[in-house]
Amino acid sequence: MNKKCRVHPSHGHKRHALLMICLFAFALTLFVSPVMAKPLYQEQVEQSEVSDKALKKSLKQVKEHKEIKVVDDLSVPPFHKRAVLQTTKKQPFCMTCHLSLPHRKNERSRTFMNMHSRYIACETCHFIPKGAALEYRWLAYDGVDAGKLIAPRRAVEVSVETPAKSERKHTAQFKKREPLAPQPGARISPFYNDVPVLLFKETPFAKDIEKKWEDADETQRAEIKAQLHAPLKKKGAACKECHGKRTPMIDFERLGASATQLKAIQNNIVARFFERFKKEDERIRIDKLL
Amino acid sequence: MGLLAGIKSIPNGQKYRYAVIMASCTLFFSPFLFLPGLVDNPDLCGKVCIRRFYLFFPGMSVDDVAGKMQVAAIGVYILSFILITTFFFGRMWCGYVCPVGGLPELVSRTFSDKWKIEYRALPQVPIRYGYFSVYLALMPMLGISACTLCNFITIPRIFDAFSGNPKGLAFALSAVGLVNLALLFLLGFFATKGRAYCQFLCPVGALDGLVNRLGAKLRFTRRIRVERSRCTGCNICARNCMTGAIQMVDRVAVVDQLSCMSCHECVDVCDWGAIDWRAAPLDEEPKRKKKGVDFHPQPQWQAVHVVDLRKGKK
Amino acid sequence: MSLFGISTNLSCILLMFVALVSLSLPSEAAERHPDPDGCFSCHALEGLEYIDKAGVLRSASIDKQHYYSALHGSVPCKDCHRKIRDYPHKVKNGEVDCGASCHVEEPSEGEPYTHKAVVKEYEKSVHGEGWSKGLTGGNRLKEAEGVDPSCRMCHPNELYIGEDELPKFKASFDHIDTECGSCHQGEVWLGQFGGHILRRFIGSRWNKNDHNKMCNDCHADHKRMAEVELENKKSGEKEKVGPRFILASDSYATTLHGRLLETNVMEGASCIDCHAPKGFRHGILPDEEEKAATHLDNLAETCAQSGCHGYATNPLNHRFVKTDLHDIDMIPAVNDIAPRDSSRLESNWVKALIALLPIIVILGGGTLLWRIFGEKKKGVTFSVLGGDAFQEKMIGRKPKGKAKKRGKQG
C-alpha cells in the first residue's frame, strides 16, 4: 500500500494541475467565445414545442402554397424612376422562403414594413422571446465585415447645406437626410449576450434545414415550418414600440442618433396616424394625415 | 512556248509595268484594301468613287452637284490627279496603275492569243465616245443604278469572291454580277491583250483619252511619239499594242492618241527605235552642220499625225 | 406686454406652440418645387416596395430629385392621379389618363396643358389599341401582354435634359443673361422661359437613333412580331403577318438609311422620318391607307422632306421613290422566318450560262487544247476571231488565207 501511494508527489501535482488547466480552457472556449455559441433563435427553434393547432395551420398553409416567381423585366418600364431591389452579401435565413420583401398582405402597411427591412433585421420585430433581454445594435450585412457587429456613427446633427446658387439653377437640389446607419447595408439586429440572435442563410443549421425541406413530403414540411415559426411572432412589434414610446424598444441614442433624429423618429406622422386609425381596412383621408 | 521562256521574253519595261499593276491590285482590292482602308472605305465605292459626282438626277440643282462633289471629294481629287498627270505624261493611270483594267489584262496575257477575240480592228473612237455620250445623257435615267454596271465595283467584287469575302460571292451570283462576269470574260480575259473594256466602255478612260489627245499636240508633253523617218513598217508595235492604238498607214506607224495608254509596249519591242515615249523637243539643233546642210535628217517625234484613215494617205 | 390684446402668458404659450409645431414637422427647407398635396412626405421615402401576387416588383418610392428634374417635374401628383383621396389608395382612383389636362398652364395661350391631340392622333394610328388611359402601377403586367404599345411603354418620365446633353446645356445656360438677356431683361423671364427655350434650342432629347431604338424594342423582337395579326382588307379576317413585316427591322438595317444611323451619321432616315413625318409623329398608318405617309401616292412627298431627297417629287424620279426599303432579300439567307423556298429563288444562272458557257467552252477549251496539242509555232499568232480584220485594217497586209485563195484563183 505504501508502495502504491509512493507516487512522486511532484508528478501527481503536475498531472492534477494539467488536468485542471485543460478543463478550465475547455470551459473557457465553451462559454466565453461567442463564435461557438448558438444564436438564440436557433436554440429556441430546437427547444420549442409545436402545438397541434399550429401544426394543423402549418399543414394547411403548405398545401395551399402558391409559388410566386418574381417577374424580372417587363416590356413596359416603370413610369417613375425608382430604386433598385437590394441584395446584400449576408442574407437572413428568413429569405429562403420569404423573399427579400416579405410583407404583402396588409395593404396599408406592407410597403412601410418592407422599407424597414432595409435597415432593421427580420428578428428585431418578429422575435421577441419572453424572459430574454435582447440588445439592439448595428450588424453589417454587406461589405468586408459582413456578419459582424459594427460600431454606430457619432451622432451627427442634421446639417443644412444649401447648394451653391449656380448649381441650383441647373438641377433641383434637395437636402438629403443624414442616414442613421453607419454603413450601407447595416441593419439593426438583436443581440443576446453579445451574440447575434439571428440566423444567416449560409450557416450549417440553415443549410441542414434546407436539405431536410427538399427531401420532405407535405406533413414533414408542415412540421419543419411549424417548428421554425414557433418562437416567432406573426404580427411583429407594433409601430409605437419604436416610434411612439418615450423609452422605445430600440435604444436609438446608443445606435448613434442625434437629438433631432431621435425626435424625428418619435414624432413620425405615419406611425402616429396608424396609431390613431387602428382598424386595418379603415381608409384614412390624406389631408388628415398632414 | 514554255512558261519560263514566255516570262523571259517579256521586255524589262513591261515586267516593271506588270509588277506595278499587281501591286496596285493588292493595294486596292481585298483582302488587303490598303489604300481605301486609309480612308476607312471597304471598297472602291462611296467616298473614293471617282465617277459618282457626275451622276445626276432630274431636278438636281447646281448646289446638289456641289454637294455630291463634296461628299465624294476624295474621288474628285483622284480623278483630277489622274487627268492632270495624263495631260503631262500620258495615260499613266490606265496603263500602269489601274487594277480594274490591269487585272483582266494580266490574266489575258497568260494564255495564247489564238483563242481570243480580236477587238482592236473595230473603230474604237466612234464606239467609245458614242457610248460615253449616251452614258452621260442616259445618266438621269440610270441615276444611282449606274453603280451596278460599273466595272470599278465588278472587278473588286470578283476579287472578293476569290479571296473569301462572301459579299463578293453574293455579287458574283446576282443578275448584275453575272452580266458583269460575262463582260469580264468577253472583254477582258478572252480579248486580245485584255483591254477591250478599257477601249470601249470605261468612262474614266474616255475622259482620260480626251485629255490625252488635248495635250498631245503640245510639244513639251510626254507621249508615245513616232519618228516617221526611222519607222520601217515592220508592224511589231501595231501587233503588240494592247489597245490597238497603232495603225500602219502607208507602212508607217501612226499612233491614235485618243486610245493610246502609254504602256510602252511598243517602245520595248521596236527594233528600230522609231517609237518612243518622249516630249518633242522645241528646238533641236543637229550636232554637225556644214554650210547649212544637215547631214542627218532631223528627227521629228510626232504624236499626232493628221491622217485620213479611210484613204490611208497623209 | 400684450400681443394683439392677448395676455402675456397666452402669447408666450402661443409662440412656443408655433415653435414646437414647426420643430416637430419634418424639417424640410424651403424647396423650389412645392408639393401641394404632400404626397412626397411618404413617397420620397426609399424602399417602399412589395412584390405582388403576379410577382411584379411594385415600388411606391419616387426619387424626388429625379422627378423634379424630369419632364413632368412641374406637374403636381394629383394632376395625373386625379382621384386619390384616401390612404390606402384605391387602385381605381390612381388611374392615369394621359389625355387629361393638367393644371400647368401653357405660357402662350394660358390654357391648361394637355396631351389630348397626341392621344387622338395616336388612337387613329396602327397602334391605336395601345393603352392611353387607365394606367396604374399594378397593370403593367397586363399591359405588357397587349400587342400595341401604351403611352408609357415608350415615354417613361425621363429627365428634362438628358444626361449627355447636360454639359452643353449648362455651358449655354451660364451665358443666358448675356445672350438672351441682352433683350429679355429680368430674372423672372430668364428663370421661367430661359431654360424652356434653351432646351428646345439645343435640340430634341431624342435623336434619330433613339427613335429607332424605341421602335426596335418591339419591332426587332421576332417572336413578338410573329404574334401580330393584321386585318386582311379583302377578306376582313385577321391574319398573322408575313416575313416582310417580321423582318422589317432587319431589312431596314441593311439599307443605307439604317447603316448610316448605326454609325451615328445622322443623315440617315429613322423609322418615323418615313412612317410618321408630320404632325405629332404618332400617326403611323398602314401603307394601304390613303393618308399614310408611306402610301405609294404620298411616298414622293415623304422622301422629299426638308433636308432629304428634294428631287424626289420630280415625276421622272418615280423609280427612285419606289425603292424597296424593306427588301428581305437583302438579309442573310440563314433565318427561319423567311426561308428560301423555291418561290423566292430567282437564279439567273440559267440565263448567264447561255452567255458564259460558249465563251468558256470554246475559248477556254480551245486555249487548253492548243496548249496541249497545238502546233508550237514560233512567230506571230493572230486570233481566230477577228485576226484577219486586224491584219487588214491595222497592219495593212493581206492575211495568209486570203492570199492563198487569190493565189489559187488567179
Side-chain angles (χ1 to χ4, degrees):
Chain A
M1 275 218 330
N2 273 353
K3 271 192 183 175
K4 264 189 191 175
C5 298
R6 224 194 294 158
V7 174
H8 199 280
S10 54
H11 280 302
H13 285 306
K14 261 194 190 162
R15 272 191 205 144
H16 191 65
L18 215 58
L19 194 62
M20 286 308 293
I21 290 167
C22 287
L23 272 172
F24 185 67
F26 186 62
L28 211 69
T29 50
L30 258 186
F31 293 112
V32 179
S33 159
V35 179
M36 295 278 283
K38 268 196 231 170
L40 186 65
Y41 168 66
Q42 187 181 330
E43 264 184 45
Q44 294 226 346
V45 164
E46 289 166 351
Q47 289 167 4
S48 61
E49 278 176 28
V50 182
S51 68
D52 273 338
K53 187 167 157 226
L55 195 60
K56 261 197 193 161
K57 191 172 171 208
S58 169
L59 185 62
K60 185 163 171 259
Q61 283 175 334
V62 169
K63 283 197 176 157
E64 288 174 358
H65 175 70
K66 265 184 246 157
E67 188 81 33
I68 296 180
K69 233 187 176 179
V70 181
V71 174
D72 246 340
D73 62 329
L74 289 175
S75 53
V76 182
F79 186 76
H80 294 288
K81 183 181 174 196
R82 65 237 195 135
V84 191
L85 202 57
Q86 303 243 313
T87 45
T88 48
K89 208 165 160 186
K90 279 262 183 193
Q91 289 172 341
F93 174 60
C94 316
M95 251 184 84
T96 323
C97 295
H98 305 282
L99 307 163
S100 59
L101 305 171
H103 306 97
R104 196 167 53 82
K105 297 207 179 107
N106 186 330
E107 222 187 282
R108 85 175 181 173
S109 53
R110 58 188 167 186
T111 48
F112 292 107
M113 293 197 282
N114 281 333
M115 176 182 73
H116 282 76
S117 70
R118 283 189 179 204
Y119 41 82
I120 294 185
C122 309
E123 287 86 347
T124 311
C125 297
H126 287 281
F127 180 61
I128 304 174
K130 294 198 176 83
L134 296 175
E135 288 178 330
Y136 296 98
R137 313 234 214 111
W138 287 108
L139 188 68
Y141 272 59
D142 223 356
V144 184
D145 44 2
K148 295 201 193 121
L149 167 70
I150 42 177
R153 308 172 75 199
R154 283 175 157 271
V156 179
E157 272 302 322
V158 176
S159 56
V160 182
E161 230 184 73
T162 322
K165 192 170 183 202
S166 62
E167 280 296 309
R168 259 193 290 150
K169 258 194 201 171
H170 296 141
T171 49
Q173 292 279 339
F174 293 92
K175 225 175 14 136
K176 285 220 165 105
R177 281 208 169 96
E178 284 288 339
L180 194 57
Q183 67 187 49
R187 298 186 196 183
I188 299 175
S189 317
F191 280 75
Y192 181 68
N193 293 340
D194 295 328
V195 176
V197 148
L198 35 82
L199 207 56
F200 286 119
K201 239 186 175 177
E202 278 77 37
T203 48
F205 178 72
K207 287 195 180 156
D208 189 45
I209 296 233
E210 270 182 68
K211 197 161 176 296
K212 273 196 213 155
W213 180 270
E214 272 180 41
D215 301 333
D217 68 351
E218 274 186 3
T219 3
Q220 286 173 328
R221 283 192 175 176
E223 260 184 56
I224 299 172
K225 186 172 176 314
Q227 188 97 33
L228 283 173
H229 291 92
L232 301 173
K233 286 171 74 178
K234 182 171 180 186
K235 193 139 191 262
C239 309
K240 69 168 190 275
E241 298 287 332
C242 294
H243 285 287
K245 291 190 174 158
R246 278 193 183 276
T247 47
M249 190 172 93
I250 299 174
D251 187 356
F252 289 110
E253 277 172 338
R254 194 177 173 198
L255 291 174
S258 67
T260 343
Q261 284 175 321
L262 191 61
K263 199 166 240 154
I265 295 172
Q266 286 179 333
N267 292 327
N268 188 289
I269 8 160
V270 180
R272 264 198 284 170
F273 286 95
F274 278 171
E275 256 309 293
R276 209 209 275 188
F277 298 93
K278 295 240 193 243
K279 276 197 262 174
E280 291 290 330
D281 54 353
E282 199 173 335
R283 295 208 120 83
I284 309 159
R285 281 199 67 103
I286 297 178
D287 42 12
K288 287 196 179 157
L289 262 179
L290 301 162
Chain B
M1 287 198 286
L3 193 65
L4 259 170
I7 291 175
K8 274 193 187 155
S9 72
I10 301 172
N12 281 337
Q14 293 310 300
K15 279 191 192 132
Y16 172 68
R17 187 168 74 89
Y18 299 163
V20 175
I21 289 176
M22 284 195 273
S24 82
C25 283
T26 49
L27 288 175
F28 283 101
F29 293 163
S30 67
F32 303 112
L33 271 177
F34 181 65
L35 286 175
L38 281 177
V39 288
D40 263 334
N41 224 44
D43 48 23
L44 298 180
C45 310
K47 268 194 284 195
V48 295
C49 174
I50 54 181
R51 305 173 173 186
R52 61 180 285 199
F53 67 90
Y54 52 82
L55 291 174
F56 57 97
F57 309 87
M60 254 173 80
S61 62
V62 177
D63 285 326
D64 285 320
V65 176
K68 278 182 183 294
M69 289 177 77
Q70 194 184 23
V71 174
I74 298 171
V76 176
Y77 298 147
I78 295 174
L79 187 64
S80 314
F81 181 71
I82 293 172
L83 295 177
I84 290 169
T85 50
T86 298
F87 185 80
F88 290 103
F89 300 107
R91 290 169 67 180
M92 307 305 292
W93 161 265
C94 294
Y96 274 72
V97 185
C98 182
V100 175
L103 181 73
E105 184 205 330
L106 292 184
V107 172
S108 167
R109 281 178 192 278
T110 57
F111 40 92
S112 162
D113 267 355
K114 179 127 179 150
W115 294 100
K116 298 205 195 137
I117 305 172
E118 184 63 84
Y119 292 99
R120 295 180 291 168
L122 292 169
Q124 279 189 55
V125 173
I127 294 176
R128 188 187 320 137
Y129 291 99
Y131 176 77
F132 188 54
S133 49
V134 168
Y135 176 84
L136 286 176
L138 270 182
M139 269 204 259
M141 289 192 221
L142 285 177
I144 200 75
S145 55
C147 292
T148 52
L149 302 174
C150 176
N151 64 328
F152 272 63
I153 206 178
T154 308
I155 313 282
R157 288 280 158 89
I158 289 169
F159 214 84
D160 275 348
F162 287 110
S163 66
N165 187 341
K167 210 178 8 172
L169 203 61
F171 175 81
L173 296 178
S174 66
V176 170
L178 289 170
V179 167
N180 276 321
L181 202 63
L183 283 176
L184 178 67
F185 275 77
L186 275 171
L187 299 175
F189 301 156
F190 287 104
T192 314
K193 308 293 181 190
R195 287 273 188 168
Y197 180 89
C198 303
Q199 280 176 273
F200 297 117
L201 300 181
C202 184
V204 180
L207 203 60
D208 217 18
L210 287 172
V211 174
N212 199 40
R213 173 66 182 87
L214 199 73
K217 231 9 178 142
L218 302 169
R219 295 178 75 78
F220 61 87
T221 56
R222 290 181 174 267
R223 292 287 186 276
I224 297 287
R225 297 171 190 272
V226 176
E227 224 289 290
R228 293 173 69 79
S229 47
R230 287 203 204 155
C231 179
T232 59
C234 70
N235 62 51
I236 292 180
C237 56
R239 274 187 263 133
N240 281 291
C241 178
M242 73 175 184
T243 54
I246 303 178
Q247 191 178 2
M248 306 308 289
V249 176
D250 276 349
R251 309 212 83 200
V252 172
V254 166
V255 176
D256 173 16
Q257 292 297 346
L258 281 169
S259 309
C260 171
M261 283 192 196
S262 301
C263 68
H264 288 196
E265 180 112 27
C266 48
V267 178
D268 292 326
V269 296
C270 180
D271 296 326
W272 305 97
I275 191 167
D276 198 4
W277 178 72
R278 52 176 295 150
L282 288 164
D283 201 9
E284 197 164 278
E285 287 281 321
K287 284 205 169 170
R288 277 196 285 170
K289 210 169 183 179
K290 191 176 177 184
K291 287 185 189 171
V293 177
D294 295 325
F295 281 113
H296 302 281
Q298 295 278 9
Q300 285 180 8
W301 293 97
Q302 275 184 292
V304 179
H305 306 273
V306 180
V307 173
D308 186 355
L309 292 171
R310 280 171 303 172
K311 290 179 188 163
K313 288 183 182 164
K314 202 176 182 182
Chain C
M1 180 189 84
S2 60
L3 194 70
F4 303 115
I6 309 168
S7 73
T8 317
N9 281 336
L10 204 56
S11 56
C12 286
I13 293 169
L14 265 174
L15 270 167
M16 276 168 62
F17 179 70
V18 166
L20 196 70
V21 165
S22 58
L23 271 178
S24 66
L25 284 175
S27 47
E28 306 272 83
E31 294 179 7
R32 287 179 68 219
H33 305 274
D35 178 19
D37 304 300
C39 309
F40 271 117
S41 51
C42 289
H43 282 281
L45 297 166
E46 263 184 43
L48 295 175
E49 300 153 349
Y50 73 99
I51 297 173
D52 70 9
K53 271 182 249 168
V56 179
L57 172 68
R58 307 283 300 280
S59 173
S61 302
I62 294 176
D63 185 341
K64 208 182 194 179
Q65 184 163 345
H66 182 270
Y67 183 77
Y68 285 131
S69 324
L71 290 171
H72 292 91
S74 19
V75 182
C77 310
K78 277 194 88 173
D79 276 9
C80 293
H81 302 278
R82 290 247 155 130
K83 300 185 191 151
I84 293 204
R85 213 165 293 123
D86 306 328
Y87 180 78
H89 309 316
K90 271 199 198 136
V91 176
K92 229 178 169 313
N93 287 346
E95 278 181 8
V96 176
D97 178 2
C98 295
S101 65
C102 58
H103 288 95
V104 177
E105 277 174 10
E106 201 229 308
S108 60
E109 276 158 40
E111 298 280 322
Y113 187 78
T114 172
H115 293 299
K116 218 187 329 183
V118 186
V119 173
K120 222 178 170 183
E121 192 186 80
Y122 189 68
E123 278 171 357
K124 286 198 201 134
S125 76
V126 281
H127 295 129
E129 283 171 33
W131 296 22
S132 66
K133 52 179 171 222
L135 302 169
T136 67
N139 53 23
R140 272 172 65 211
L141 194 58
K142 192 154 175 258
E143 188 188 306
E145 290 164 12
V147 178
D148 290 324
S150 61
C151 299
R152 64 176 166 184
M153 202 185 266
C154 302
H155 300 288
N157 198 24
E158 291 173 343
L159 287 175
Y160 184 63
I161 301 162
E163 298 270 345
D164 30 345
E165 278 164 2
L166 199 57
K168 208 173 20 164
F169 184 84
K170 273 190 187 170
S172 312
F173 199 77
D174 282 334
H175 293 112
I176 204 172
D177 28 9
T178 52
E179 305 299 325
C180 308
S182 52
C183 291
H184 297 277
Q185 308 263 327
E187 277 282 320
V188 175
W189 188 93
L190 284 180
Q192 198 174 3
F193 292 110
H196 175 97
I197 292 169
L198 190 63
R199 205 219 85 197
R200 282 148 181 79
F201 188 70
I202 284 183
S204 164
R205 268 174 310 114
W206 281 16
N207 62 18
K208 291 186 187 193
N209 272 322
D210 292 325
H211 294 153
N212 281 358
K213 186 175 173 299
M214 179 190 63
C215 301
N216 277 339
D217 273 344
C218 291
H219 281 273
D221 184 351
H222 295 156
K223 260 193 239 155
R224 205 188 158 109
M225 286 298 111
E227 313 262 317
V228 174
E229 283 177 6
L230 291 178
E231 204 181 288
N232 184 332
K233 293 283 171 190
K234 289 181 199 161
S235 64
E237 281 173 13
K238 286 221 161 188
E239 293 175 340
K240 283 234 161 99
V241 287
R244 212 179 127 85
F245 183 93
I246 301 173
L247 292 171
S249 182
D250 299 74
S251 53
Y252 164 77
T254 63
T255 63
L256 189 62
H257 292 151
R259 280 156 45 208
L260 281 172
L261 287 179
E262 254 174 68
T263 53
N264 279 322
V265 175
M266 290 300 147
E267 303 276 322
S270 71
C271 305
I272 56 170
D273 280 336
C274 294
H275 286 282
K278 294 186 179 165
F280 290 105
R281 310 199 76 178
H282 282 72
I284 301 174
L285 295 164
D287 296 347
E288 302 86 47
E289 223 167 288
E290 271 177 32
K291 288 195 184 159
T294 44
H295 182 72
L296 281 172
D297 296 337
N298 301 331
L299 264 178
E301 212 185 301
T302 307
C303 297
Q305 277 175 65
S306 94
C308 300
H309 302 284
Y311 38 76
T313 44
N314 190 312
L316 286 173
N317 286 325
H318 68 102
R319 285 217 169 269
F320 168 84
V321 164
K322 285 177 188 152
T323 312
D324 187 2
L325 285 169
H326 287 289
D327 186 1
I328 48 177
D329 284 333
M330 299 292 280
I331 303 169
V334 186
N335 65 72
D336 323 310
I337 301 159
R340 293 277 173 125
D341 60 11
S342 53
S343 67
R344 281 187 54 218
L345 278 172
E346 295 161 19
S347 175
N348 290 295
W349 268 112
V350 179
K351 297 172 202 160
L353 276 173
I354 298 172
L356 281 174
L357 257 181
I359 306 170
I360 297 172
V361 167
I362 297 171
L363 301 176
T367 306
L368 272 172
L369 288 169
W370 181 252
R371 279 273 144 135
I372 303 166
F373 301 112
E375 319 157 20
K376 306 280 194 280
K377 226 198 262 180
K378 275 194 185 164
V380 186
T381 333
F382 290 98
S383 65
V384 164
L385 189 63
D388 292 343
F390 179 72
Q391 284 189 56
E392 276 190 56
K393 288 187 200 165
M394 299 298 272
I395 296 180
R397 75 173 186 215
K398 299 279 183 297
K400 284 188 181 160
K402 282 201 178 159
K404 265 194 189 161
K405 258 194 194 166
R406 283 225 185 107
K408 269 189 179 169
Q409 281 176 351

